[in-house]
Amino acid sequence: MSEPAGETKLEPKQASKEVKESENVAEKYSAMTVSKNSEVTMGELSSVFTAVPTHKPVKKQIQFVEDKQEFSRFPTKAGRRSLSRSISQSSTDSYSSAASYTDSSDDETSPRDKTQVNSKGSSDFCVKNIKQAEFGRREIEIAEQDMSALIALRKRAQGEKPLAGAKIVGCTHITAQTAVLIETLVALGAQCRWTACNIYSTQNEVAAALSESGVAVFAWKGESEDDFWWCIDRCINTEGWQPNMILDDGGDLTHWVYKKYPNVFKKIRGIVEESVTGVHRLYQLSKAGKLCVPAMNVNDSVTKQKFDNLYCCRESILDGLKRTTDVMFGGKQVIVCGYGEVGKGCCAALKALGAIVYVTEIDPICALQACMDGFRVVKLNEVIRQVDVIITCTGNKNVVTRDQLDRMKNGSIVCNMGHSNTEIDVASLRTPELTWERVRSQVDHVIWPDGKRVILLAEGRLLNLSCSTVPTFVLSITATTQALALIELYNAPEGRYKQDVYLLPKKMDEYVASLHLATFDAHLTELSDEQAKYLGLNKNGPFKPNYYRY
Amino acid sequence: SVHLTMSVQVVAAKMAEVELKDVPGKDLAAESPVTPMSEGKNLAKNDPHEAGSSAAASPTAEPSVKAGESSPGLLTPNPVKMPQASAMKRPDPQQNGGEAFVNRDGTVAEAPRMKKIQFADQKQEFNKRPTKIGRRSLSRSISQSSTDSYSSAASYTDSSDDETSPRDKQQKNSKGNGDFCIKNIKQADFGRREIEIAEQEMPALMALRKRAQGEKPLAGAKVVGCTHITAQTAVLMETLSALGAQCRWAACNIYSTQNEVAAALAEGGFSVFAWKGESEDDFWWCIDRCVNLEGWQPNMILDDGGDLTHWIYKKYPNMFKKIKGIVEESVTGVHRLYQLSKAGKLCVPAMNVNDSVTKQKFDNLYCCRESILDGLKRTTDVMFGGKQVVVCGYGEVGKGCCAALKAMGSIVYVTEIDPICALQACMDGFRLVKLNEVIRQVDIVITCTGNKNVVVREYLDRMKNGCIVCNMGHSNTEIDVASLRTPELTWERVRSQVDHVIWPDGKRIVLLAEGRLLNLSCSTVPTFVLSITATTQALALIELYNAPEGRYKQDVYLLPKKMDEYVASLHLPTFDAHLTELTDEQAKYLGLNKNGPFKPNYYRYY
């Protein structure tokens, strides 16, 4: 993962330049996700969307999920910002309930070499085993329970078929939740062809169930790189069918279409992109003047952000720690490094369980928030000897160093909620005098010569990706956002969206939230005409200016 | 964030026409499209939850008229116009270079003409400048309520016997200087004590004095100021002075001046022109005395409400040639600056300190989180555990109220109109209801919507006996108090700020502060919150005064993020909080400067 420094700097610079041109949204990436760039494989950036035929990033490498799950081919898929879709990546992990448990690993034949037909006689798909369809259907039905927003959307919009005529080509993780999204899109009138954005994340049974129901799916778990692009190509390159919408996660599909079938863009009404990487690539395109259709950045919608970060981490920190260590939280001294959205979530959860929580921060505003929320703001060094649990969520590197690890007390737990594996200097623990003992999956005891043990979780990688699951409800937020973005782009009158990257309109963002209120039996108050007038608002929103901080 | 907002606006404006035709069933689809215009302009107003925003704004329209009816002390000849002047919207700081907002009726405020003066004691939130009492400008306007029964900051040493106008008195301080006009210079000792108490809770300014004293960043600065004159302001002025500035000061409110503090300042050599209970004529006379002086021309303006700026524009426009910048603290004043800027008449850089993140958080979330409990306790001695409370609105104020009540063991319900805030309430563990669903069972109703008629007579009729009704939102529009002024209901004043409204069947409702702002009426604003504001003002002055030629144009600016962060950092020692510093390597990795700014401008601190 270590990178030539020069290369690492590349992206931030580009991103910050972009600020001016692409309206500052990109600044976010430079400021908040720069760190992720350290994992950008050489060549990727430069090759992104360039017309150079050697499309395959020189150094592109495929890693085994078990070993390096957050080093996905495209770095940010594992980053927090794209958490909700990328989580399925970790579904292959021991704890995940979403794993392809029905896989018969005996079958070594590549799906590409098999001829399969679904019960209706169609063979326009390529999945591991069509016979798993029933299992997959069950998974999908379970997911539907927690994705009531999409189901509601189906019911509300089914009569009108807002996506009638839409031909959507999609490239996302293929999981039960995605299946609910796809089937919603179909219910709204769209035709869909789908492929996986990650070679490991596909749930084979779900892919089978989709194929059985007539969606052209090209994906299986454990594709090779060649398979990966072959699947994408099969989605697009089909006789008598041209997509007019793109739903992408990571930008690979968009990239492929740009490279291979630029003419397809003549018919395309818009791109909906979900990941940080993909959005970044879109901004690059836009900057270069090469973006020839409108694109919607759904990653940065308020509702999605809140759920990916604050709410999700508030639960997964407890879940992840319990599953791995069975620690009891009451009265434990915990230090949380970083008080951004993730840190706020972790602190709130731990405080609620009676832990004594310390916070470290670099930003005085966030530090002051921590103070006002009742947390002691300290430097890590000041409490390192006394704390029982250390949680990093800074997005930074080397927040916990060997020096600090040396001073921790026996039995203290170290884990990372921030991103990737840069926050804890795990490499520094790989020295001869320290003994590593794997006590459980994702749990290592690192033993000092004097017998002191430090419990390292997930080898410093993201705890919530490795050791807990992402609730379907969170994925529902993302999927609903994507569906609405598609509807919006598809139905927008000529000229509303230019060839640029847009944020989801506030009103749509509010609509995503409102679709999820039913889950809580929450009853939204409506403005009276008089009140709406008084406030100068439309009764149906948007209710806040775009810069509102929630 | 400027850019973000803008880019988003493009979408927003367009999206305005969005009509999800395809999604039937939901009103979203059906409703008439928002016009792009409304998105643009109303950016300002769409913000009911940060009460002051729209709050201080339009609402003032009605209340001030009402005030006109009921307040005998109303001196203004033209009460109806004034609301327009005040129709304050949230000045959109991000708005590209200070696009100003037009009032709902399209009028632009002309200040002094419509100025009216009210008695603080009677109508404390109907200040002459409405927004001074809006939430957004809470921290400075609070002194206004200092005249209230509960306030510890009142001018308790006043000898009310002395009826001579300060303008007719000849006073000199102990150094023989007579360049000031205050109630009574002999009160200086009392004032000094007040100032010393305030200093204890304003560590940031004290730290700033120490840090910057050596280099005197304001050396040569001639600051003319128009703010509430309270002990906290005094600490600010003395800090500015310690940093090298010369100051002349007037009050921005005819009632808020603490006479002893003014005396202490005058004794300390400051030219202060202010006393409690000025007439309108006095008010402008004081401002004029600050500005109009032989051999002294200001080069910086610190304003709260925009009166001082207005006066200079009107009377001494040439003065702006020497002025390096304006620092404005209130919503109203900021709005006026945006208007000026829009009209192309702003001829110096101006700094909007009202919308800095730190200040906003303290004015709304943190301040209300404490004052809701304080206000309810002081007035009703209610015990919170197990009580059922409904909080209307889940913006910053609502979030603060809910957090505090939940911590006290109350069962909290929330009402909302905005689905995003509603979802936040759900995820924070509050039941989201409509008011009429719980109105019969709740013990306390708290409004913080910034809206009008949130609690109407119909609801009041259905409340149970002993239910407490109060308003944290803004002004007195949220609870339809007027509807309670009917013959069949009996009003009984049981304490200051507490009324029992009694129904014919004997049911009583406990109405606090007659539906006006509970936290202005029945609790105090901690000096710590005022310290945030004062520090922000000081830093804005330093920034503008020292900015190299050309950094700031003739426009309205937000306090740079870095300064905002610095304000926060100066307050960290109070908590014995130890900020972590980035290593060079880490800073490089994140692409940040080690000393900030640490976040992009649009970052949502939650």
Side-chain angles (χ1 to χ4, degrees):
Chain A
M1 64 148 288
S2 60
E3 275 266 311
E7 190 63 24
T8 317
K9 272 190 290 183
L10 175 60
E11 195 172 32
K13 262 189 213 157
Q14 288 172 338
S16 55
K17 262 191 215 159
E18 223 172 52
V19 172
K20 291 155 202 152
E21 279 152 63
S22 47
E23 326 244 53
N24 211 21
V25 175
E27 182 185 335
K28 175 175 295 182
Y29 305 115
S30 63
M32 303 175 73
T33 65
V34 182
S35 34
K36 291 174 182 122
N37 302 331
S38 69
E39 284 171 313
V40 172
T41 31
M42 266 275 274
E44 177 188 328
L45 263 174
S46 43
S47 72
V48 170
F49 299 128
T50 55
V52 187
T54 59
H55 68 281
K56 284 188 191 175
V58 191
K59 279 196 187 170
K60 172 166 278 187
Q61 54 180 218
I62 295 170
Q63 285 145 331
F64 291 105
V65 173
E66 287 74 20
D67 290 340
K68 301 261 166 197
Q69 64 229 358
E70 73 266 48
F71 304 146
S72 99
R73 296 177 304 105
F74 288 106
T76 48
K77 281 189 192 146
R80 170 94 47 221
R81 308 297 286 275
S82 54
L83 177 65
S84 52
R85 300 309 299 174
S86 63
I87 190 58
S88 41
Q89 184 174 355
S90 77
S91 355
T92 51
D93 248 34
S94 43
Y95 289 111
S96 168
S97 62
S100 278
Y101 52 80
T102 57
D103 254 3
S104 99
S105 46
D106 303 334
D107 185 2
E108 293 299 340
T109 326
S110 163
R112 286 166 70 172
D113 301 331
K114 291 190 213 170
T115 311
Q116 296 181 82
V117 178
N118 71 10
S119 62
K120 285 150 210 143
S122 165
S123 62
D124 186 17
F125 60 87
C126 188
V127 300
K128 183 77 169 177
N129 186 359
I130 187 73
K131 292 182 190 136
Q132 297 174 335
E134 275 183 49
F135 291 107
R137 179 53 53 192
R138 229 176 290 155
E139 285 281 335
I140 296 173
E141 280 164 5
I142 293 172
E144 281 174 357
Q145 301 306 313
D146 249 343
M147 300 182 82
S148 51
L150 279 180
I151 305 300
L153 190 64
R154 280 186 206 178
K155 282 190 193 128
R156 290 190 191 188
Q158 209 160 15
E160 242 185 277
K161 306 269 183 201
L163 289 176
K167 294 176 181 174
I168 301 170
V169 58
C171 178
T172 66
H173 296 285
I174 294 188
T175 62
Q177 290 84 11
T178 309
V180 179
L181 169 63
I182 295 174
E183 297 191 343
T184 303
L185 298 177
V186 170
L188 300 184
Q191 295 174 31
C192 296
R193 296 177 72 83
W194 227 264
T195 181
C197 70
N198 181 288
I199 56 172
Y200 279 106
S201 66
T202 303
Q203 287 179 273
N204 282 335
E205 325 76 38
V206 170
L210 285 168
S211 300
E212 174 60 33
S213 69
V215 178
V217 175
F218 301 86
W220 56 92
K221 182 176 172 175
E223 298 168 4
S224 70
E225 167 128 18
D226 185 57
D227 292 339
F228 178 81
W229 295 110
W230 179 87
C231 286
I232 288 183
D233 195 70
R234 282 293 307 272
C235 270
I236 308 165
N237 183 18
T238 174
E239 196 102 347
W241 195 89
Q242 268 210 1
N244 51 24
M245 297 291 297
I246 292 177
L247 179 63
D248 208 350
D249 181 344
D252 292 331
L253 173 60
T254 308
H255 172 71
W256 189 259
V257 177
Y258 257 97
K259 223 186 72 186
K260 294 280 184 175
Y261 310 101
N263 281 334
V264 167
F265 277 108
K266 287 181 188 154
K267 294 218 170 176
I268 285 189
R269 296 206 197 177
I271 301 168
V272 173
E273 170 61 54
E274 190 270 340
S275 76
V276 188
T277 322
V279 167
H280 178 66
R281 294 164 96 182
L282 286 172
Y283 279 114
Q284 298 280 28
L285 267 187
S286 165
K287 187 189 168 194
K290 290 185 190 162
L291 186 66
C292 49
V293 293
M296 194 76 91
N297 162 8
V298 295
N299 179 62
D300 289 284
S301 67
V302 178
T303 313
K304 179 173 179 298
Q305 284 292 325
K306 287 284 172 201
F307 274 86
D308 277 8
N309 297 310
L310 183 68
Y311 300 135
C312 195
C313 293
R314 192 174 63 183
E315 312 214 344
S316 59
I317 181 63
L318 302 182
D319 189 23
L321 284 170
K322 279 282 186 204
R323 289 192 196 202
T324 48
T325 66
D326 295 316
V327 66
M328 190 149 189
F329 295 103
K332 285 285 190 307
Q333 296 192 59
V334 183
I335 182 151
V336 175
C337 302
Y339 201 68
E341 296 250 335
V342 177
K344 287 179 174 93
C346 292
C347 287
L350 292 163
K351 188 183 192 181
L353 290 196
I356 299 154
V357 182
Y358 303 94
V359 170
T360 72
E361 244 306 337
I362 58 155
D363 178 341
I365 297 182
C366 291
L368 196 54
Q369 286 184 301
C371 292
M372 292 302 290
D373 291 343
F375 299 107
R376 296 274 303 136
V377 176
V378 297
K379 293 192 183 186
L380 186 52
N381 281 334
E382 297 163 3
V383 293
I384 193 73
R385 286 180 188 281
Q386 75 201 55
V387 293
D388 301 292
V389 183
I390 297 184
I391 301 164
T392 58
C393 18
T394 66
N396 203 343
K397 69 190 279 192
N398 294 344
V399 174
V400 180
T401 59
R402 172 65 188 267
D403 173 53
Q404 283 151 342
L405 290 160
D406 283 342
R407 288 190 285 148
M408 281 173 199
K409 70 181 184 190
N410 186 33
S412 56
I413 298 167
V414 186
C415 67
N416 169 33
M417 292 286 290
H419 86 81
S420 179
N421 60 353
T422 55
E423 308 213 13
I424 302 164
D425 188 5
V426 175
S428 73
L429 292 175
R430 309 267 187 201
T431 51
E433 78 276 20
L434 301 186
T435 313
W436 284 58
E437 217 171 66
R438 166 137 302 197
V439 297
R440 294 182 186 179
S441 166
Q442 307 291 353
V443 184
D444 287 291
H445 282 189
V446 181
I447 308 165
W448 267 251
D450 65 357
K452 179 186 90 169
R453 282 160 192 255
V454 166
I455 302 167
L456 177 66
L457 303 185
E459 296 180 56
R461 295 189 306 267
L462 271 176
L463 181 71
N464 56 337
L465 285 191
S466 310
C467 311
S468 74
T469 54
V470 169
T472 299
F473 191 72
V474 172
L475 301 175
S476 171
I477 299 270
T478 306
T480 311
T481 309
Q482 287 172 319
L484 287 175
L486 284 169
I487 294 173
E488 166 69 14
L489 274 180
Y490 186 69
N491 290 286
E494 191 72 28
R496 176 183 297 168
Y497 296 105
K498 311 274 186 294
Q499 296 166 2
D500 209 341
V501 186
Y502 294 86
L503 277 183
L504 190 69
K506 169 75 77 185
K507 196 165 172 181
M508 293 302 219
D509 212 344
E510 290 175 347
Y511 190 49
V512 172
S514 73
L515 281 171
H516 285 87
L517 287 176
T519 306
F520 302 100
D521 190 24
H523 302 171
L524 202 63
T525 303
E526 278 181 28
L527 287 174
S528 69
D529 291 334
E530 182 202 13
Q531 289 176 325
K533 193 178 159 203
Y534 179 76
L535 293 175
L537 293 177
N538 185 299
K539 271 177 79 167
N540 301 300
F543 299 101
K544 300 287 190 300
N546 282 312
Y547 58 81
Y548 183 74
R549 288 200 185 89
Y550 294 97
Chain B
S1 117
V2 179
H3 304 274
L4 177 69
T5 310
M6 288 318 297
S7 76
V8 167
Q9 260 180 325
V10 178
V11 183
K14 290 169 191 154
M15 145 232 176
E17 307 130 30
V18 174
E19 282 167 282
L20 247 204
K21 335 176 177 63
D22 336 76
V23 188
K26 169 70 188 174
D27 346 354
L28 179 57
E31 120 243 3
S32 70
V34 188
T35 70
M37 191 199 77
S38 72
E39 176 67 20
K41 287 184 187 160
N42 293 338
L43 265 183
K45 323 178 69 183
N46 297 353
D47 195 358
H49 299 271
E50 286 173 46
S53 63
S54 58
S58 23
T60 33
E62 281 100 59
S64 50
V65 176
K66 280 179 202 154
E69 298 157 5
S70 55
S71 166
L74 204 61
L75 302 183
T76 175
N78 192 356
V80 188
K81 259 197 179 172
M82 171 258 180
Q84 300 167 349
S86 57
M88 189 61 294
K89 310 184 173 155
R90 174 174 182 157
D92 179 5
Q94 321 297 33
Q95 207 59 337
N96 55 341
E99 189 200 327
F101 299 102
V102 192
N103 298 324
R104 199 192 297 153
D105 52 9
T107 56
V108 174
E110 260 300 304
R113 259 191 306 129
M114 18 191 125
K115 167 159 263 172
K116 66 180 182 184
I117 295 170
Q118 287 145 330
F119 289 108
D121 318 9
Q122 287 168 348
K123 296 270 163 194
Q124 64 229 2
E125 73 267 48
F126 302 146
N127 185 8
K128 39 180 197 78
R129 295 284 162 229
T131 49
K132 282 191 194 147
I133 48 85
R135 170 94 52 222
R136 305 302 284 276
S137 52
L138 177 64
S139 50
R140 300 310 300 174
S141 61
I142 192 57
S143 39
Q144 186 175 353
S145 76
S146 351
T147 50
D148 247 36
S149 44
Y150 288 112
S151 169
S152 60
S155 278
Y156 52 79
T157 55
D158 255 0
S159 104
S160 46
D161 304 334
D162 183 2
E163 292 299 341
T164 326
S165 163
R167 285 166 72 171
D168 302 331
K169 290 192 213 168
Q170 288 289 335
Q171 298 184 81
K172 285 199 189 311
N173 69 13
S174 61
K175 285 153 210 141
N177 182 348
D179 184 19
F180 59 84
C181 187
I182 57 163
K183 185 77 171 178
N184 184 358
I185 186 72
K186 290 182 193 139
Q187 297 173 336
D189 280 346
F190 291 105
R192 179 53 51 191
R193 228 176 290 156
E194 286 279 337
I195 296 173
E196 278 162 8
I197 293 171
E199 282 174 356
Q200 301 304 312
E201 277 280 304
M202 301 181 84
L205 282 181
M206 304 309 282
L208 192 63
R209 281 187 203 180
K210 279 189 196 131
R211 286 194 197 187
Q213 212 160 9
E215 49 172 312
K216 305 267 183 202
L218 289 177
K222 294 175 182 177
V223 183
V224 58
C226 178
T227 68
H228 299 285
I229 294 188
T230 62
Q232 291 83 14
T233 309
V235 178
L236 170 62
M237 287 168 65
E238 297 189 344
T239 303
L240 297 178
S241 175
L243 300 183
Q246 296 173 32
C247 300
R248 297 179 71 83
W249 229 261
C252 69
N253 182 290
I254 56 171
Y255 279 106
S256 67
T257 303
Q258 287 179 270
N259 283 336
E260 327 74 69
V261 170
L265 285 169
E267 174 60 32
F270 289 93
S271 297
V272 175
F273 301 86
W275 55 95
K276 183 175 174 175
E278 298 168 5
S279 71
E280 167 128 15
D281 186 55
D282 293 338
F283 179 82
W284 295 111
W285 180 85
C286 285
I287 288 184
D288 195 68
R289 283 291 308 271
C290 272
V291 185
N292 183 17
L293 177 76
E294 194 105 347
W296 195 90
Q297 269 210 0
N299 51 24
M300 297 292 297
I301 294 176
L302 179 63
D303 208 352
D304 181 345
D307 291 330
L308 172 60
T309 307
H310 173 76
W311 188 258
I312 297 179
Y313 258 99
K314 224 183 73 187
K315 294 279 181 178
Y316 310 101
N318 281 334
M319 218 169 252
F320 277 107
K321 287 178 190 158
K322 293 218 169 177
I323 284 181
K324 292 200 178 186
I326 301 168
V327 172
E328 171 59 55
E329 190 271 339
S330 76
V331 189
T332 324
V334 167
H335 176 62
R336 294 164 96 182
L337 286 172
Y338 278 114
Q339 299 282 26
L340 268 185
S341 163
K342 191 184 169 195
K345 289 186 194 161
L346 186 65
C347 49
V348 293
M351 193 76 87
N352 162 7
V353 296
N354 180 59
D355 288 284
S356 68
V357 177
T358 313
K359 178 172 179 298
Q360 283 293 323
K361 285 284 171 198
F362 273 86
D363 277 6
N364 297 308
L365 182 65
Y366 300 134
C367 196
C368 294
R369 192 174 63 184
E370 310 216 344
S371 57
I372 182 62
L373 301 183
D374 188 24
L376 285 169
K377 279 283 186 204
R378 290 192 196 201
T379 48
T380 66
D381 295 318
V382 65
M383 190 150 190
F384 296 106
K387 284 285 190 306
Q388 295 190 61
V389 184
V390 63
V391 176
C392 303
Y394 201 67
E396 295 254 329
V397 177
K399 287 182 175 91
C401 292
C402 287
L405 291 163
K406 189 182 191 182
M408 291 286 106
S410 299
I411 300 154
V412 183
Y413 303 96
V414 171
T415 74
E416 242 307 337
I417 59 155
D418 178 341
I420 296 182
C421 292
L423 198 53
Q424 287 184 301
C426 292
M427 291 302 290
D428 291 343
F430 300 106
R431 293 276 303 138
L432 192 82
V433 297
K434 292 190 183 187
L435 187 52
N436 63 13
E437 296 165 2
V438 293
I439 196 69
R440 285 183 189 280
Q441 75 202 56
V442 292
D443 302 291
I444 305 175
V445 178
I446 300 165
T447 58
C448 18
T449 67
N451 203 343
K452 71 189 277 193
N453 294 344
V454 174
V455 178
V456 293
R457 173 66 187 266
E458 182 202 342
Y459 295 143
L460 291 158
D461 283 341
R462 287 153 64 202
M463 282 173 197
K464 68 182 186 193
N465 186 32
C467 185
I468 298 167
V469 186
C470 66
N471 169 33
M472 291 285 290
H474 82 82
S475 182
N476 60 354
T477 55
E478 307 213 15
I479 302 163
D480 188 4
V481 175
S483 73
L484 293 175
R485 309 266 185 201
T486 51
E488 79 276 20
L489 300 187
T490 314
W491 283 58
E492 218 172 64
R493 164 135 306 196
V494 297
R495 293 184 187 178
S496 164
Q497 308 290 354
V498 184
D499 288 292
H500 282 187
V501 182
I502 308 164
W503 267 250
D505 65 357
K507 178 185 91 168
R508 286 163 188 253
I509 296 289
V510 183
L511 177 65
L512 304 185
E514 297 181 58
R516 295 189 307 268
L517 272 178
L518 181 70
N519 55 337
L520 285 191
S521 310
C522 311
S523 73
T524 54
V525 168
T527 299
F528 193 71
V529 172
L530 300 175
S531 170
I532 299 271
T533 307
T535 311
T536 308
Q537 288 171 318
L539 286 176
L541 283 172
I542 294 174
E543 169 71 13
L544 275 180
Y545 186 69
N546 291 286
E549 191 73 27
R551 177 184 294 171
Y552 296 103
K553 313 272 186 296
Q554 296 166 3
D555 209 339
V556 186
Y557 292 86
L558 269 187
L559 191 68
K561 172 71 82 187
K562 199 166 168 180
M563 292 303 223
D564 211 344
E565 291 175 346
Y566 190 50
V567 172
S569 73
L570 282 171
H571 286 86
L572 289 176
T574 305
F575 302 100
D576 190 24
H578 302 171
L579 202 62
T580 303
E581 278 180 28
L582 288 174
T583 64
D584 291 333
E585 182 201 12
Q586 289 176 328
K588 193 176 160 199
Y589 180 75
L590 294 175
L592 294 176
N593 185 303
K594 271 178 81 169
N595 302 308
F598 299 101
K599 300 286 190 301
N601 281 320
Y602 54 81
Y603 182 74
R604 300 189 180 94
Y605 294 84
Y606 192 76

